[in-house]
Each structure stands twice: as structure tokens, then as C-alpha cells.
Amino acid sequence: MQHYDYVIIGGGICGVSAAERIRTQDTHGTIAVVSNEPHLLYSRVLLPSYLKKRIPRTQVLLRTSEDFTRQRIVCVQDSVLEVMPAAQQVMLMDQEALHYTKLLIASGGTPRPWGDARHARFQYRLQTLDDADRLFSALDSLYAPIIIGNSFIAMEFADIFVKNKIMPTILMRESYLLSPCVEREGGKFLEENAKKHGVRILSGDEVEKMSEQDDMLEITTAQGEILKTNCGAVGIGIARNMSFVRRSDIVVGERGIRVNEYLETNCEGIYAAGDVAEFYDVVRGSPHINGNWTNAVTQGYHAGMVMTGTRKPYRMVSAYSIENLGLRIAMVGDCDPQQESLVRYDEAAGRYARFFLKEGKLVGGLLINCREIYAPLIKYIEQGVRIDPATLDIFDASRIRVV
């Protein structure tokens, strides 16, 4: 059995950020990163740019084996079978056990299953570099792609196909793209913009049955639409990779591994960060799970800091943005649609914002083409100040009045 001072489950940006932070704080400790990915660290957020042919594949790659060797970080390519806190061991699929002093779970997520496995050859995802490579190699032969879902990933698929001059159809159960974070006006704005770029939208509908006809997938929807394609691009979210803790004493929350504001689990010496962590958000004042690149980077860095003795609470306003079909779309803070919200929309200027408030405090916002108020919005949310709702403005943040 091999012993490491630090074992990290997950070789994505969260796990690697943690490992590299640990190395800067502890120059002598032994570090192992366990990952079942066939590739070393790469940028998931650059995969769409690679598929839009804006950047070469090499630009997606972020680390080499020499980088890890230089930092004395051991990369173990394997899957985790079980975490055993009492024994301080991680059991791998090849039956090897790793003994640890401290453990970070940064295992991320896997796309949710969809459809019939018999039609898997028509299905495309956008989670891994292998997913992107497979789609890239097929771009010239795709016919009438069908995008399943209304998420940011679904919208990324749409932009990828449009940039490659392949006009897709979005099929979604929901009424609007990005709902429920946007309401009717925002949904209509996104839909009209997508249509201008040649994207067809089938909302309030879903797949009823699928069959193969002449090397094509024939989809019949609940509303009676018959669609033929050789590409089903699925963007319906992820399932957290945490099955290996199910038999342990590690507490799992509603959606992820439960940790406090220090990213500590209930088991001493075990931490969780990134997509898999349901952390106590000190800005929101409640448990939260956040699956985006910035969160993964910052939580990984913070976990590494806490694991090496600097015990400070993780405090950050979540933020995520994309350039999509000519729009700049950003989601900031807590965009829970159950909260009070106010909408500002200027059709002529092509700007939209939905502000979310809790007890008079600004807690979140969904912004479209509102670059000027992006940073100030983060500041107001982080400060937890009360805002005069009547002064919320999508052009000039200086008009927003704190009360």
C-alpha cells in the first residue's frame, strides 16, 4: 500500500488547482492525484472555442507530464471504488489501496444518461476532450442536429453548429431557453435571437420515441413532430461523481457531498470541492452547489490552502458567462426563481436583466448584454447591501442606489 500526505480524487481544474496550491504551501509533502481521464488537465471552457475552430486543439491542453513531475505531483490513472475514512484509505478499481493523511474529493460530474443505448452512436456530449474530439471529427458529416435541453450547454451546442454552418433544432420540455432563470420576456428575447441565427426552437415538447432509418435517427416528439438527424446533442446537466462515498460515513446532501464553509466534510481530514461539493455559502447563508469553471478553480485553490493549515472560510460570489449567438450572457450569484425578482428589458438596445432579491438585498442576476453592470453587481451581492429596486439599471451601475 502506498502512502501519500495528500490524495486528491479528480484530475480536473479543481483537483489540479488544489494540488498546485498544496505544493506552494508544503514543499515536502507527497501528493497524488487520482483520475480516470485518459488526458492530463485541459480546459473544459475552451472546448466550444475548439469546436468553433477559433483555436487549435493544442490550446485546450493546460498541463504536461513534465509539469507534474517538476512539482512532484504523482498522477494515478484509475477510478475510485471506495473511500474508507476510518482506515484513511482510497480503494481503486485495480484493487490497489492508497493511504492518505488528508483527502480531497474533487471528482466532478458525469453527463446524465439520456435516451436508448441502442442509439448511442448518434448521441454527442460536451463534457470531456474525447467528447469534443468525437464531435469535431463528425462536423463535416452532420445532418440537422437535434439539441436536447435548454441549458447553457445546449446553447453552446447551438452556437457551435451555427458557427460551422449547420442549422440545428433545439428540443426542450421547458417553455424558454435558460428557464426558470429567465422569465417570459427573457425567454422570448433568447428565442428570437436564436431564430435570427437559423436555430429552430421546439419548446414544451420532448422525445416520445426513436428509431433508426437508413443510418439516420428518427425522433417522434410528444407533439407529433418527426425529426431526422444523425446527431443528438444532449445538454441536460450532470450527475455528481460520488458513488464511492455511499458506503462511508461521509454525509451527502441533497445534491452533493456536504461540506462547511471551510470545504471540510464531517469526517476529519476529508474535504470536497468543485462540482461535487454542496458547500455552505457564506454569501447566501445556506448550502449551495455550483457547477462552473470559476467555482472549480477557486474552490480547488481554497481547499489546498485549508488542507495546508490556513483555515479561512470560502467566500465568493458565483459567476458564469458565455458569448452565444452574438449575445453576452452572464449568471451571477443566487438566481433561484422562487425569490423576488425584477426584470429590466430594452428591446431596442438588446439588453435584458433579471435581478433577484432577498429581504431587500440584491442576491443574483441573469444578464444579457449588460457588461457594464457585471462587476458592480458582483460587488453589491458580495457586500450584502440593500438596494432601492427602483434604481436597478441595465446601462449604468452608478444609478443603483444603496439604502
Side-chain angles (χ1 to χ4, degrees):
M1 181 189 302
Q2 291 183 290
H3 172 81
Y4 293 93
D5 297 311
Y6 308 93
V7 170
I8 297 168
I9 300 174
I13 189 61
C14 183
V16 173
S17 294
E20 293 181 343
R21 179 59 175 169
I22 288 169
R23 178 53 71 223
T24 64
Q25 299 291 103
D26 183 346
T27 57
H28 300 292
T30 52
I31 306 170
V33 176
V34 182
S35 173
N36 61 5
E37 276 263 16
H39 308 283
L40 296 177
L41 180 66
Y42 56 88
S43 173
R44 295 188 194 278
V45 293
L46 287 180
L47 295 180
S49 294
Y50 159 50
L51 288 164
K52 295 169 193 175
K53 302 176 181 175
R54 290 175 175 170
I55 62 171
R57 184 181 186 276
T58 53
Q59 196 170 325
V60 176
L61 308 177
L62 300 181
R63 296 290 186 279
T64 65
S65 57
E66 289 77 16
D67 293 326
F68 290 107
T69 300
R70 186 178 63 255
Q71 297 182 84
R72 289 175 290 114
I73 297 170
V74 177
C75 297
V76 179
Q77 188 176 358
D78 205 340
S79 296
V80 173
L81 180 64
E82 186 176 2
V83 171
M84 297 174 285
Q88 291 181 271
Q89 293 180 19
V90 173
M91 183 62 70
L92 304 180
M93 285 293 183
D94 70 358
Q95 299 305 307
E96 180 184 2
L98 303 181
H99 187 271
Y100 62 84
T101 301
K102 293 185 178 180
L103 172 68
L104 172 65
I105 302 170
S107 47
T110 303
R112 294 184 183 280
W114 178 86
D116 191 322
R118 293 176 299 174
H119 309 307
R121 67 191 179 106
F122 297 107
Q123 189 177 134
Y124 292 85
R125 301 287 188 142
L126 192 52
Q127 177 75 4
T128 68
L129 180 55
D130 283 347
D131 291 336
D133 285 340
R134 178 170 172 260
L135 180 56
F136 189 93
S137 66
L139 284 172
D140 292 339
S141 61
L142 295 185
Y143 173 78
I146 308 298
I147 301 169
I148 307 296
N150 78 327
S151 65
F152 274 105
I153 293 297
M155 295 188 68
E156 288 280 26
F157 271 126
D159 202 32
I160 289 165
F161 294 136
V162 168
K163 292 294 191 300
N164 284 280
K165 297 180 171 53
I166 313 165
M167 298 303 108
T169 295
I170 297 178
L171 177 62
M172 58 187 183
R173 294 174 177 173
E174 299 79 6
S175 298
Y176 310 112
L177 291 166
L178 299 185
S179 66
C181 292
V182 301
E183 44 62 81
R184 185 182 61 82
E185 278 190 307
K188 289 295 185 184
F189 178 27
L190 291 172
E191 182 175 334
E192 289 304 315
N193 182 70
K195 288 178 178 178
K196 288 177 184 176
H197 286 82
V199 180
R200 185 186 181 198
I201 307 286
L202 296 178
S203 58
D205 204 353
E206 61 184 333
V207 174
E208 186 169 87
K209 67 177 182 179
M210 293 186 289
S211 61
E212 293 188 28
Q213 302 284 341
D214 301 323
D215 285 328
M216 288 284 175
L217 183 66
E218 184 173 283
I219 295 175
T220 303
T221 76
Q223 300 296 328
E225 293 276 351
I226 298 176
L227 309 169
K228 290 187 178 182
T229 184
N230 59 3
C231 171
V234 184
I236 57 172
I238 63 170
R240 269 70 195 181
N241 295 328
M242 54 186 183
S243 60
F244 49 79
V245 306
R246 295 294 186 186
R247 298 202 306 175
S248 75
D249 294 329
I250 298 171
V251 172
V252 174
E254 292 182 10
R255 298 173 61 196
I257 295 173
R258 181 68 61 84
V259 294
N260 61 17
E261 62 268 38
Y262 304 99
L263 306 180
E264 301 163 329
T265 70
N266 62 301
C267 293
E268 185 176 357
I270 301 180
Y271 308 77
D275 291 4
V276 78
E278 185 175 306
F279 66 100
Y280 183 79
D281 188 333
V282 296
V283 177
R284 292 169 59 124
S286 62
H288 180 49
I289 198 161
N290 194 354
N292 64 56
W293 181 264
T294 302
N295 180 73
V297 173
T298 57
Q299 282 199 3
Y301 181 91
H302 196 89
M305 184 177 69
V306 174
M307 292 170 75
T308 50
T310 305
R311 193 170 183 269
K312 293 182 179 179
Y314 175 76
R315 182 184 183 89
M316 183 170 179
V317 176
S318 65
Y320 178 75
S321 65
I322 62 171
E323 296 277 355
N324 188 269
L325 299 176
L327 302 178
R328 179 74 176 181
I329 307 170
M331 185 180 291
V332 179
D334 182 3
C335 296
D336 183 350
Q338 301 303 314
Q339 300 174 132
E340 176 189 358
S341 66
L342 293 172
V343 172
R344 299 287 186 269
Y345 177 43
D346 188 313
E347 184 177 2
R351 294 190 178 207
Y352 168 92
R354 187 181 186 187
F355 299 100
F356 296 87
L357 300 101
K358 183 178 181 180
E359 297 175 353
K361 296 179 181 179
L362 189 61
V363 296
L366 191 289
L367 312 176
I368 303 176
N369 290 344
C370 298
R371 190 185 300 268
E372 295 86 351
I373 67 170
Y374 178 76
L377 188 65
I378 292 175
K379 181 186 74 172
Y380 287 135
I381 294 170
E382 201 279 332
Q383 291 174 343
V385 295
R386 293 181 180 275
I387 298 291
D388 178 358
T391 66
L392 288 170
D393 192 275
I394 56 177
F395 292 95
D396 186 354
S398 67
R399 298 175 185 171
I400 301 175
R401 188 167 66 87
V402 177
V403 296

